[in-house]
Amino acid sequence: MDAFARLITTLFNIVLVPYGDRHTVGLVALSLLTGVVMAYVFKWTSNAAAIKAAKEKLKARILEMRIYQDDPVLIIRGFGGTLGANGRYLGTLLRPFIILLVPVVIVFMQMDERYSRQPLASGETTILSVSLKEGIDPFRTELDLNLGGGVVADGPPVRVAETREIDWRLRVDGPGTHEVTLSGGGSLYTFPLVAEDGYRMIGHERNASGWVEPFLHPALPAIPKDSPIARVTVAYPGASYPFLRWDLHWIAIFIIYSFAAAIVLKFVIKFEI
């Protein structure tokens, strides 16, 4: 799964090459491309005739309630028919939405790793939290922190027995992508601490277990199986992007542009929804 996840990450990196450090432009481009792909997948996997027929029946049931609005019995019957027609209409959309679910989740996680956070600035501090595996006492386990140039530990680690957690406060002294290495139990775990605008992905979390983990958190490397570490998290400041007069979260930008692309394409390739 890690190899497949890395392949997906590489493909996203290739798509974003033309936009360089212009993250807002890259976000808009990926959103538009996602909308276009979703529109074509929906067209290819849906039954246009069934969707249209279900929509017509739903409209007829709604019209029935308006025509007989003075007859309570017919209104109740029409309301029941409307609910049934609406269920059948949603049923015609189920297959394409299920088919779209997995790729959309993968796209969502890739974009979250790229656009949800911004790099640390020189002089800024962050918290590195390490959760240990079940049964491992953080007070009896030696977990060493090795930092490259540009990052220093701002004080000794804090250990919490209840959550099996060890926390460090780190301070960035200079720009760049700095290597942080955790060593314990005979294994090493090295990951990047991002303090430069040009870096493509900003990983804030990684869990040791779970076959979906490479897709959910693709920016950080896999934790070795023999490591005592169960989870690593790094705090980064949130990011926002301009849209008209507002600064919005990337999800809002994604929804606006992907849906706009899909709606426009609806009139070009003619699909029912």
Side-chain angles (χ1 to χ4, degrees):
M1 288 299 176
D2 278 294
F4 186 44
R6 287 194 296 269
L7 175 60
I8 293 173
T9 298
T10 301
L11 292 176
F12 271 83
N13 289 340
I14 293 172
V15 171
L16 289 169
V17 164
Y19 309 107
D21 296 339
R22 296 173 296 169
H23 298 304
T24 301
V25 179
L27 170 59
V28 172
L30 276 179
S31 301
L32 292 172
L33 179 60
T34 301
V36 170
V37 173
M38 286 194 304
Y40 274 103
V41 172
F42 188 91
K43 176 181 172 64
W44 294 332
T45 58
S46 61
N47 186 332
I51 293 174
K52 186 174 182 179
K55 285 169 60 177
E56 293 301 322
K57 289 181 180 178
L58 177 59
K59 292 177 183 178
R61 287 297 188 176
I62 294 174
L63 182 60
E64 178 183 350
M65 288 192 297
R66 296 189 62 181
I67 292 174
Y68 300 108
Q69 56 185 325
D70 295 327
D71 190 324
V73 175
L74 293 179
I75 283 288
I76 293 173
R77 189 180 70 180
F79 180 71
T82 300
L83 291 178
N86 188 57
R88 287 187 289 273
Y89 168 63
L90 294 176
T92 63
L93 304 177
L94 188 59
R95 188 177 80 168
F97 279 126
I98 290 176
I99 293 173
L100 281 168
L101 181 61
V102 172
V104 167
V105 169
I106 291 175
V107 169
F108 186 92
M109 299 313 302
Q110 281 281 333
M111 295 182 71
D112 186 71
E113 297 282 75
R114 297 167 190 273
Y115 299 111
S116 189
R117 287 156 289 276
Q118 60 185 1
L120 298 166
S122 295
E124 193 169 3
T125 60
T126 186
I127 301 297
L128 166 63
S129 297
V130 177
S131 298
L132 303 178
K133 291 178 179 177
E134 190 75 32
I136 299 179
D137 188 342
F139 288 94
R140 298 182 179 179
T141 300
E142 287 296 329
L143 191 64
D144 296 324
L145 176 67
N146 301 300
L147 303 171
V151 183
V152 295
D154 198 5
V158 176
R159 299 172 187 265
V160 184
E162 290 79 4
T163 57
R164 308 184 307 279
E165 190 174 301
I166 305 176
D167 300 332
W168 287 268
R169 183 176 181 179
L170 307 181
R171 186 181 72 250
V172 177
D173 282 347
T177 301
H178 310 291
E179 282 194 352
V180 176
T181 300
L182 295 164
S183 57
S187 68
L188 300 176
Y189 179 60
T190 301
F191 63 91
L193 186 71
V194 183
E196 60 176 327
D197 289 334
Y199 201 76
R200 183 68 68 186
M201 302 178 76
I202 300 178
H204 75 295
E205 180 180 344
R206 186 73 189 222
N207 293 288
S209 60
W211 66 271
V212 297
E213 191 62 22
F215 302 100
L216 295 179
H217 302 109
L220 292 184
I223 298 173
K225 292 182 179 180
D226 58 348
S227 173
I229 298 172
R231 183 170 177 257
V232 171
T233 61
V234 183
Y236 285 94
S240 59
Y241 302 88
F243 178 77
L244 300 179
R245 296 184 179 182
W246 304 282
D247 287 331
L248 303 178
H249 191 272
W250 79 264
I251 295 178
I253 301 291
F254 174 78
I255 291 173
I256 291 170
Y257 283 100
S258 62
F259 274 76
I263 290 171
V264 170
L265 202 59
K266 177 182 184 297
F267 298 100
V268 177
I269 62 176
K270 309 292 184 183
F271 64 89
E272 288 286 340
I273 188 169

